[in-house]
């Protein structure tokens, strides 16, 4: 094996030299040589072969997502118990083996054997049964035994519970591997399965990763990993984890890269610049620098057809909608259709009314498609006949009867609210449409790269000129009247107010709604009696909710008391105060989104965060972050630090399956390494071996639908 490794390293350094000299042809020759040394396909076939198991065992294994040898060999043992040398009872800690003379035995409520090596140790078994009894009966007082197990200390006394006990003469140093529970299967059974698989595991240089990736990242071979995982430490943990993480990230990035290669060519348009300049001039406001840049970037993509999707990240209120409108207009002008998909009915309604005013001005027809839309079939027909140019809607757009004549521009707002399948369905309605994804919850660039592959990322950081930062004030419950009195004053000045109560989920019980109703009435009477207030909660019908939103935005309602249903995107520039009750029960991003409902004009705005006197230190930190900054990017970053990547950027939420070994944020460097390795391999026309592709498919079969390009 050493020889093979040496040979591979020589080849690898040749490859790197040629890549450095930009002589890709030579590099490729050596890559192929390297490739021929590794029996990728054989290796992958073996790893992916199904385990032959009895039906009931198979069921248990499948529940744990173990289907093939590879899955089994990647099952992390819970722990390894080292019984490699005998220690004295006095020194023994943790998992240990000790020897001693049996000095007493008891068979009562539990079985007990005490041994002595100068100090004493009591071994106890609480699971009484005849087999165990028989074994223990055979151990004679006065004989020398070895006990293996975990030491528990009770003051000066040491005990072992359920140890393995055997005659001293049959002790052999060994490491016990303990696997997580698999239904009612015994650990010894799992061990046997793993042993069997291991014994057949092909020796290096069998692998599925290109050697060049293994060599340049100094990764161990596959077989070495399996032995390290299941047989104790022949490799350092770091190396084992590095390889496991790298593989996972490599597969993910390869999947993305292959999917990108498989993308349809994007539409190509001629943007009428004079016209678009006039359009911008006719707006009631001047676009921010970043809005202009975003439009320029997207139009440039559309004109050159070099890129077919973009992720537009911008804080709440940064004005993403108008960017989408102007670009859509340029596309409509080229005889294509446009489609906007939004996560809630209210957002769809709001966007629809703005879009109608905007596009119809230029002679384009706009239609709304939500669940309650009447005469859907008429709309479907009009879209297919190209009588409708722009469709705005919710999930209702996913209806298979919606077929575009010529979809060229697709906008998905707050896309993390849609599932992967939903996004795919909508994308399939316009295979060469340019896709604009808009998000107000920024994610770090590295993460975005990992998740969106080739999708461009544009960050809009500048806010519209007239915006003043929202003043944020933290009050405890006992002084919340200050907030309400201030809100009252704003109402007198003809501004509007939001009051947010803790989340009412769809599942909320009637009594909880009643109690919230009580708070609503109380506040209403105490502070806002002469104003028009409405209470928006989940028990209202969709139509009732829509009406309330509409009336609030129109100014027919002064104070909107609500649960977090207003969280996303509701735009009422005349609202100047938001009071958030029980602010400590929300996440940082959510609070920031809520706060973003105010401060949407040049009026001074205020956000009151009301909490109990005593709140957890984490909740306090969240509130402190909000008090200290209004910058959504900074808040997203702080959120990340406070909550860790797993939760907030739940990869699943963004459409990726959970990673088992790697953490996209913590292992950022390795991720970038995997990405650049793949870019290079693809650039070099590296012959992607069938085995590798099979592994990618196995790992990400649900996520990617790339074509085989061998
Ligand atoms: P978001 O990025 O949160 O989706 P919107 O697109 O809903 O923000 O814009 C929020 C509000 O700001 C809207 O009322 C919009 O008309 C207004 N707006 C957008 N751009 C500007 C600008 N450059 N100057 C002033 N107001 C703007
Ligand atoms: Mg928006």
């Amino acid at each position: 094996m050493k020889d093979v490794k040496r040979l591979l390293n020589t080849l690898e350094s040749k490859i790197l030299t040629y890549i450095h000299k930009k002589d890709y042809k030579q590099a490729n020759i050596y890559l192929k040589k390297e490739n021929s040394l590794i029996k990728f396909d054989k290796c992958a076939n073996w790893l992916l072969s199904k385990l032959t198991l009895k039906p009931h065992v198979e069921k248990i294994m499948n529940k744990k997502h173990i289907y093939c040898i590879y899955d089994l060999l990647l099952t992390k043992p819970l722990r390894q118990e080292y019984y490699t040398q005998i220690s004295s009872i006095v020194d023994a800690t943790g998992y240990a083996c000790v020897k001693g003379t049996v000095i007493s035995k008891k068979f009562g409520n539990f079985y007990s054997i005490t041994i002595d090596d100068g100090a004493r140790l009591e071994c106890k078994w609480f699971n009484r049964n005849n087999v165990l009894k028989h074994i223990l009966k055979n151990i004679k007082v006065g004989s020398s035994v070895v006990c293996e197990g975990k030491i528990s200390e009770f003051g000066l006394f040491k005990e072992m519970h359920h140890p393995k006990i055997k005659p001293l003469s049959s002790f052999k140093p060994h490491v016990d591997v303990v696997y997580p529970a698999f239904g009612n299967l015994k650990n010894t059974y799992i061990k046997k399965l793993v042993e069997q698989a291991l014994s057949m595991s092909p020796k290096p240089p069998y692998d599925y990763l290109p050697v060049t990736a293994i060599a340049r990242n100094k990764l161990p071979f596959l077989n070495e990993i399996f032995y390290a995982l299941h047989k104790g430490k022949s490799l350092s943990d770091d190396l084992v984890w590095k390889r496991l993480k790298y593989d996972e990230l490599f597969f993910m990035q390869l999947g993305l890269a292959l999917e990108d290669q498989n993308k349809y060519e994007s539409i190509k348009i001629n943007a009428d610049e004079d016209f678009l300049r006039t359009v911008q001039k006719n707006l009631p406001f001047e676009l921010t620098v970043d809005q202009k840049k975003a439009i320029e970037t997207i139009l440039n993509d559309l004109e050159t057809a070099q890129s077919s999707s973009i992720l537009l990240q911008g804080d709440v209120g940064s004005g993403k909608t108008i960017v989408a409108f102007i670009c859509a207009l340029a596309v409509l002008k080229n005889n294509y259709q446009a489609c906007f998909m939004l996560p809630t009915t209210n957002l769809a309604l709001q966007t629809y009314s703005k879009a109608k005013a905007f596009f119809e001005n230029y002679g384009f027809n706009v239609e709304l498609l939500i669940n309650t839309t009447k005469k859907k079939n008429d709309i479907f027909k009009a879209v297919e006949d190209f009588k409708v140019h722009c469709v705005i809607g919710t999930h209702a757009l996913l209806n298979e009867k919606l077929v575009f004549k010529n979809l060229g521009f697709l906008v998905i707002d707050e896309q993390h609210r849609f599932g992967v399948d939903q996004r795919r369905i909508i994308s399939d309605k316009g295979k060469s449409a340019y896709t604009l994804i808009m998000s107000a919850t920024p994610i770090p660039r590295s993460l975005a790269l990992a998740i969106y592959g080739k999708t461009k990322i544009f960050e809009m950081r500048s806010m519209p000129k007239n915006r003043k930062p929202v003043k944020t004030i933290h009050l405890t419950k006992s002084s919340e009247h200050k907030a309400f009195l201030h809100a009252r004053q704003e109402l007198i000045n003809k501004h509007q107010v939001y009051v947010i109560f803790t989340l009412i989920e769809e599942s909320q019980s009637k009594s909880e709604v009643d109690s919230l109703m009580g708070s609503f009435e109380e506040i209403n009477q105490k502070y806002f009696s002469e104003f028009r207030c409405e209470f928006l909660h989940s028990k209202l019908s969709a139509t009732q909710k829509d009406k309330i939103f509409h009336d609030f935005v129109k100014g027919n309602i002064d104070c909107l008391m609500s649960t977090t249903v207003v969280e996303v995107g509701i735009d009422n520039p005349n609202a100047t105060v938001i009071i958030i009750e029980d602010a400590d029960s929300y996440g940082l991003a959510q609070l920031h989104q809520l706060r973003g409902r105010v401060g949407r004009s040049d009026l001074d705005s205020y956000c009151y965060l009301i909490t109990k006197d005593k709140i957890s230190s984490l909740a306090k930190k969240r509130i402190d972050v909000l008090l200290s900054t209004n910058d959504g990017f900074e808040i997203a970053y702080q959120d990340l630090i406070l909550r860790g990547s797993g939760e907030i950027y739940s990869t699943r939420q963004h459409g990726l399956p959970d990673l088992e070994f790697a953490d996209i944020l913590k292992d950022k460097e390795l991720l970038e390494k995997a990405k650049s390795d793949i870019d290079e391999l693809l650039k070099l026309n590296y012959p992607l071996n069938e085995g590798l592709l099979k592994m990618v498919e196995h790992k990400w079969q649900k996520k990617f639908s790339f074509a085989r390009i061998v």
Side-chain angles (χ1 to χ4, degrees), residues 682-705:
L682 293 176
K683 205 165 76 198
L684 283 175
N685 255 330
Y686 180 80
L688 291 173
N689 60 78
E690 186 82 4
L692 184 57
L693 293 177
K694 276 191 191 155
M695 296 301 291
V696 178
E697 255 178 341
H698 169 69
K699 198 80 179 142
W700 303 128
Q701 48 190 328
K702 288 237 167 58
K703 162 75 181 156
F704 301 115
S705 56

Short mmCIF file of all heavy atoms in Angstrom, two decimals, residues 682-705:
data_model
loop_
_atom_site.label_atom_id
_atom_site.label_comp_id
_atom_site.label_asym_id
_atom_site.label_seq_id
_atom_site.Cartn_x
_atom_site.Cartn_y
_atom_site.Cartn_z
N LEU A 682 -13.84 19.60 -13.22
CA LEU A 682 -14.76 19.78 -14.35
C LEU A 682 -14.08 20.57 -15.46
O LEU A 682 -14.24 20.29 -16.64
CB LEU A 682 -16.05 20.47 -13.89
CG LEU A 682 -16.93 19.64 -12.95
CD1 LEU A 682 -18.14 20.44 -12.49
CD2 LEU A 682 -17.39 18.35 -13.62
N LYS A 683 -13.29 21.55 -15.03
CA LYS A 683 -12.59 22.37 -16.02
C LYS A 683 -11.59 21.51 -16.80
O LYS A 683 -11.37 21.70 -17.98
CB LYS A 683 -11.87 23.51 -15.30
CG LYS A 683 -11.63 24.71 -16.19
CD LYS A 683 -11.25 25.95 -15.39
CE LYS A 683 -9.83 25.85 -14.91
NZ LYS A 683 -9.52 26.77 -13.82
N LEU A 684 -10.97 20.57 -16.11
CA LEU A 684 -9.99 19.70 -16.75
C LEU A 684 -10.64 18.58 -17.54
O LEU A 684 -9.95 17.72 -18.06
CB LEU A 684 -9.11 19.05 -15.68
CG LEU A 684 -8.03 19.90 -15.06
CD1 LEU A 684 -7.35 19.15 -13.96
CD2 LEU A 684 -7.03 20.31 -16.12
N ASN A 685 -11.97 18.60 -17.58
CA ASN A 685 -12.66 17.51 -18.24
C ASN A 685 -12.33 16.17 -17.63
O ASN A 685 -12.17 15.17 -18.30
CB ASN A 685 -12.28 17.47 -19.72
CG ASN A 685 -13.42 18.00 -20.53
OD1 ASN A 685 -14.58 17.87 -20.11
ND2 ASN A 685 -13.10 18.63 -21.64
N TYR A 686 -12.21 16.18 -16.35
CA TYR A 686 -11.88 14.96 -15.63
C TYR A 686 -12.96 13.92 -15.89
O TYR A 686 -14.14 14.21 -15.79
CB TYR A 686 -11.80 15.25 -14.14
CG TYR A 686 -11.46 14.07 -13.28
CD1 TYR A 686 -10.14 13.67 -13.16
CD2 TYR A 686 -12.45 13.37 -12.61
CE1 TYR A 686 -9.82 12.58 -12.39
CE2 TYR A 686 -12.13 12.28 -11.82
CZ TYR A 686 -10.82 11.89 -11.71
OH TYR A 686 -10.50 10.82 -10.94
N PRO A 687 -12.55 12.73 -16.26
CA PRO A 687 -13.58 11.72 -16.54
C PRO A 687 -14.25 11.31 -15.22
O PRO A 687 -13.68 10.54 -14.46
CB PRO A 687 -12.80 10.56 -17.15
CG PRO A 687 -11.39 10.76 -16.71
CD PRO A 687 -11.18 12.20 -16.41
N LEU A 688 -15.41 11.84 -14.97
CA LEU A 688 -16.12 11.50 -13.74
C LEU A 688 -16.49 10.03 -13.80
O LEU A 688 -17.16 9.60 -14.72
CB LEU A 688 -17.39 12.33 -13.63
CG LEU A 688 -17.16 13.82 -13.39
CD1 LEU A 688 -18.47 14.57 -13.47
CD2 LEU A 688 -16.51 14.03 -12.03
N ASN A 689 -15.99 9.30 -12.85
CA ASN A 689 -16.24 7.87 -12.95
C ASN A 689 -17.65 7.52 -12.52
O ASN A 689 -18.28 8.20 -11.71
CB ASN A 689 -15.21 7.10 -12.13
CG ASN A 689 -15.28 7.51 -10.67
OD1 ASN A 689 -16.17 7.06 -9.96
ND2 ASN A 689 -14.38 8.38 -10.24
N GLU A 690 -18.12 6.46 -13.08
CA GLU A 690 -19.48 5.99 -12.82
C GLU A 690 -19.69 5.79 -11.32
O GLU A 690 -20.73 6.13 -10.77
CB GLU A 690 -19.66 4.66 -13.56
CG GLU A 690 -21.05 4.10 -13.50
CD GLU A 690 -21.96 4.75 -14.53
OE1 GLU A 690 -21.46 5.57 -15.32
OE2 GLU A 690 -23.14 4.43 -14.52
N GLY A 691 -18.65 5.27 -10.66
CA GLY A 691 -18.76 5.00 -9.23
C GLY A 691 -19.05 6.27 -8.45
O GLY A 691 -19.92 6.30 -7.58
N LEU A 692 -18.35 7.31 -8.80
CA LEU A 692 -18.52 8.58 -8.11
C LEU A 692 -19.94 9.12 -8.32
O LEU A 692 -20.61 9.56 -7.38
CB LEU A 692 -17.50 9.58 -8.65
CG LEU A 692 -17.45 10.94 -7.98
CD1 LEU A 692 -17.20 10.79 -6.51
CD2 LEU A 692 -16.36 11.79 -8.62
N LEU A 693 -20.39 9.04 -9.56
CA LEU A 693 -21.74 9.52 -9.86
C LEU A 693 -22.78 8.73 -9.10
O LEU A 693 -23.76 9.27 -8.60
CB LEU A 693 -22.01 9.44 -11.36
CG LEU A 693 -21.16 10.40 -12.19
CD1 LEU A 693 -21.43 10.21 -13.67
CD2 LEU A 693 -21.45 11.84 -11.78
N LYS A 694 -22.53 7.45 -9.00
CA LYS A 694 -23.47 6.61 -8.25
C LYS A 694 -23.52 7.06 -6.80
O LYS A 694 -24.57 7.08 -6.17
CB LYS A 694 -23.03 5.15 -8.31
CG LYS A 694 -23.50 4.44 -9.54
CD LYS A 694 -23.26 2.95 -9.38
CE LYS A 694 -23.46 2.22 -10.68
NZ LYS A 694 -22.70 0.97 -10.72
N MET A 695 -22.35 7.40 -6.26
CA MET A 695 -22.31 7.82 -4.87
C MET A 695 -23.07 9.13 -4.68
O MET A 695 -23.78 9.32 -3.71
CB MET A 695 -20.87 7.99 -4.38
CG MET A 695 -20.05 6.72 -4.37
SD MET A 695 -20.72 5.41 -3.34
CE MET A 695 -20.49 6.08 -1.73
N VAL A 696 -22.89 10.05 -5.61
CA VAL A 696 -23.60 11.33 -5.52
C VAL A 696 -25.10 11.09 -5.55
O VAL A 696 -25.87 11.63 -4.76
CB VAL A 696 -23.23 12.28 -6.68
CG1 VAL A 696 -24.01 13.58 -6.58
CG2 VAL A 696 -21.74 12.56 -6.66
N GLU A 697 -25.49 10.23 -6.46
CA GLU A 697 -26.91 9.93 -6.59
C GLU A 697 -27.45 9.32 -5.31
O GLU A 697 -28.52 9.67 -4.82
CB GLU A 697 -27.12 8.93 -7.72
CG GLU A 697 -27.69 9.56 -8.94
CD GLU A 697 -27.82 8.53 -10.04
OE1 GLU A 697 -27.16 7.47 -9.98
OE2 GLU A 697 -28.58 8.78 -10.96
N HIS A 698 -26.67 8.40 -4.77
CA HIS A 698 -27.11 7.74 -3.55
C HIS A 698 -27.29 8.76 -2.44
O HIS A 698 -28.28 8.75 -1.71
CB HIS A 698 -26.07 6.70 -3.13
CG HIS A 698 -26.29 6.16 -1.76
ND1 HIS A 698 -27.36 5.34 -1.45
CD2 HIS A 698 -25.61 6.33 -0.60
CE1 HIS A 698 -27.33 5.04 -0.17
NE2 HIS A 698 -26.28 5.62 0.37
N LYS A 699 -26.34 9.64 -2.32
CA LYS A 699 -26.35 10.59 -1.22
C LYS A 699 -27.45 11.64 -1.40
O LYS A 699 -28.10 12.03 -0.46
CB LYS A 699 -24.97 11.26 -1.18
CG LYS A 699 -24.65 11.93 0.10
CD LYS A 699 -24.17 10.98 1.18
CE LYS A 699 -23.86 11.78 2.41
NZ LYS A 699 -24.21 11.16 3.64
N TRP A 700 -27.61 12.11 -2.59
CA TRP A 700 -28.54 13.23 -2.80
C TRP A 700 -29.64 12.90 -3.77
O TRP A 700 -30.07 13.74 -4.54
CB TRP A 700 -27.79 14.45 -3.35
CG TRP A 700 -26.67 14.95 -2.54
CD1 TRP A 700 -25.42 15.19 -2.97
CD2 TRP A 700 -26.68 15.33 -1.16
NE1 TRP A 700 -24.66 15.66 -1.96
CE2 TRP A 700 -25.40 15.76 -0.84
CE3 TRP A 700 -27.67 15.32 -0.18
CZ2 TRP A 700 -25.07 16.20 0.43
CZ3 TRP A 700 -27.33 15.76 1.10
CH2 TRP A 700 -26.05 16.18 1.39
N GLN A 701 -30.08 11.69 -3.78
CA GLN A 701 -31.00 11.34 -4.87
C GLN A 701 -32.25 12.20 -4.92
O GLN A 701 -32.81 12.44 -5.97
CB GLN A 701 -31.36 9.88 -4.83
CG GLN A 701 -31.77 9.38 -3.48
CD GLN A 701 -31.89 7.86 -3.49
OE1 GLN A 701 -32.22 7.29 -4.49
NE2 GLN A 701 -31.60 7.24 -2.38
N LYS A 702 -32.68 12.66 -3.75
CA LYS A 702 -33.92 13.44 -3.75
C LYS A 702 -33.68 14.85 -4.28
O LYS A 702 -34.50 15.45 -4.91
CB LYS A 702 -34.47 13.53 -2.34
CG LYS A 702 -35.04 12.23 -1.86
CD LYS A 702 -36.50 12.40 -1.46
CE LYS A 702 -37.17 11.08 -1.27
NZ LYS A 702 -36.50 10.25 -0.25
N LYS A 703 -32.51 15.36 -4.00
CA LYS A 703 -32.27 16.77 -4.24
C LYS A 703 -31.95 17.09 -5.70
O LYS A 703 -32.43 18.03 -6.27
CB LYS A 703 -31.14 17.22 -3.31
CG LYS A 703 -30.45 18.50 -3.68
CD LYS A 703 -31.30 19.72 -3.38
CE LYS A 703 -30.55 20.98 -3.79
NZ LYS A 703 -31.43 22.08 -4.05
N PHE A 704 -31.08 16.28 -6.28
CA PHE A 704 -30.61 16.66 -7.60
C PHE A 704 -31.21 15.80 -8.69
O PHE A 704 -31.45 14.62 -8.51
CB PHE A 704 -29.09 16.58 -7.67
CG PHE A 704 -28.42 17.46 -6.68
CD1 PHE A 704 -27.67 16.93 -5.65
CD2 PHE A 704 -28.57 18.83 -6.75
CE1 PHE A 704 -27.05 17.75 -4.73
CE2 PHE A 704 -27.97 19.66 -5.83
CZ PHE A 704 -27.20 19.12 -4.82
N SER A 705 -31.41 16.40 -9.82
CA SER A 705 -31.95 15.63 -10.93
C SER A 705 -31.03 15.79 -12.12
O SER A 705 -31.46 16.01 -13.22
CB SER A 705 -33.33 16.13 -11.27
OG SER A 705 -33.24 17.51 -11.54
#
